[in-house]
Amino acid sequence: MHALIGSPIAQVLAPGWLTARMQETGYDGVLVPLHIEKDNLDTALPVLKAMPNIDSILITLPHKFGALAHCDRLSDRAKVLGAINAMRREDDGRWYGDNFDGAGLTAGLKKAGHTIAGKNVFMVGAGGAGSSIGVSMLEEGARHLTFHDINSKSQDTLFDKLSAAYPGKVSIATAVPRECDIVVNATSAGLRDSDPLPVDPAQLATHMVVADVITDPVPTRLLVEATKLGCATRDGTHMLDGQIGLLFSFMTDGR
């Protein structure tokens, strides 16, 4: 059995998607959503870990940072981010934590045939999604990552984390660099028709790939404008599909 913890939990689609994936592949399992309030995490998580039939635990807001302390081992990207969205019981009984938020987007890009290694990336947003995407882009071998966030504290925090882990490969700028290859919107700008565009379309060029984390609406106004210019685009559903595949492999781990 597998659990997903968060608060609130009713809107999360992963239990249905991943349980369906298990059934499709013949894997005998189910993902159960559990509503756990933030103040109860340190009480509830040890109980779940102590249950022998719990193989993995997926984590959504607001527990991605707090759950880190309940892991015995962490992936390199989880160490950089200081946050996880999945933890798994290993054969020796220890718990291993990882973060697939950004890896879902890079998996979606690669599935469409877009190379990340050696490319220059510009990203808007330095929150939870942006932080994970930034790490994943650099893990995939991006030549350079430039980003910005209107929240200067989030921007500076991410810059410090990434600069320490990837010296010389990160910078801050408010405009898309001329040499950019991949543009990513990792903010909520685009959820509403009245939202400002996260990137000025005048800064885009035909050779760029433009990706957006938003899953509804699809396509966002940014992607509509990018398509008009001849850019290849990837929307939030491609990121979610990539993340579901990675999470399924992590949860089942050959079982």
Side-chain angles (χ1 to χ4, degrees):
M1 187 172 81
H2 308 269
L4 186 149
I5 63 173
S7 175
I9 201 72
Q11 82 289 353
V12 180
L13 301 176
W17 285 41
L18 280 163
T19 297
R21 181 71 65 91
M22 294 175 192
Q23 293 172 346
E24 291 167 1
T25 60
Y27 174 80
D28 184 15
V30 62
L31 177 61
V32 180
L34 301 174
H35 188 141
I36 295 175
E37 297 291 353
K38 185 174 183 178
D39 292 342
N40 294 330
L41 178 67
D42 291 336
T43 300
L45 204 45
V47 173
L48 292 175
K49 290 170 59 180
M51 295 179 177
N53 65 331
I54 296 284
D55 293 315
S56 73
I57 302 168
L58 303 189
I59 299 103
T60 188
L61 296 174
H63 303 310
K64 293 185 180 183
F65 293 96
L68 190 87
H70 293 269
C71 295
D72 303 298
R73 296 173 49 240
L74 297 168
S75 68
D76 289 340
R77 60 187 163 212
K79 291 177 183 176
V80 173
L81 291 167
I84 62 171
N85 73 337
M87 53 193 293
R88 176 183 69 202
R89 190 194 307 273
E90 301 284 75
D91 292 336
D92 60 6
R94 296 192 298 170
W95 284 81
Y96 175 68
D98 206 340
N99 191 307
F100 296 99
D101 286 336
L105 185 137
T106 56
L109 287 171
K110 291 166 64 179
K111 183 177 181 179
H114 301 302
T115 302
I116 298 172
K119 302 297 185 180
N120 293 306
V121 180
F122 177 77
M123 179 176 70
V124 182
S131 297
S132 187
I133 290 168
V135 169
S136 293
M137 287 290 186
L138 293 167
E139 275 190 331
E140 291 289 341
R143 177 181 298 165
H144 196 85
L145 171 70
T146 306
F147 72 96
H148 83 90
D149 194 298
I150 58 173
N151 184 319
S152 59
K153 182 177 180 180
S154 296
Q155 177 178 275
D156 293 345
T157 296
L158 181 59
F159 180 79
D160 290 343
K161 286 181 179 180
L162 296 183
S163 294
Y166 303 95
K169 302 196 72 173
V170 185
S171 59
I172 293 173
T174 58
V176 180
R178 294 173 63 89
E179 68 277 11
C180 180
D181 303 294
I182 301 172
V183 176
V184 179
N185 173 39
T187 76
S188 61
L191 285 172
R192 296 169 296 274
D193 289 340
S194 58
D195 287 344
L197 289 174
V199 174
D200 182 353
Q203 299 173 7
L204 301 177
T206 303
H207 70 276
M208 297 177 185
V209 178
V210 182
D212 203 317
V213 301
I214 293 175
T215 57
D216 184 21
V218 170
T220 58
R221 285 172 52 230
L222 172 64
L223 297 188
V224 169
E225 294 300 320
T227 299
K228 290 179 181 177
L229 294 168
C231 301
T233 62
R234 301 297 282 170
D235 61 52
T237 64
H238 300 124
M239 174 180 173
L240 183 58
D241 181 66
Q243 189 178 65
I244 291 296
L246 292 168
L247 284 170
F248 177 72
S249 296
F250 178 84
M251 293 162 62
T252 57
D253 189 34
R255 294 181 177 90

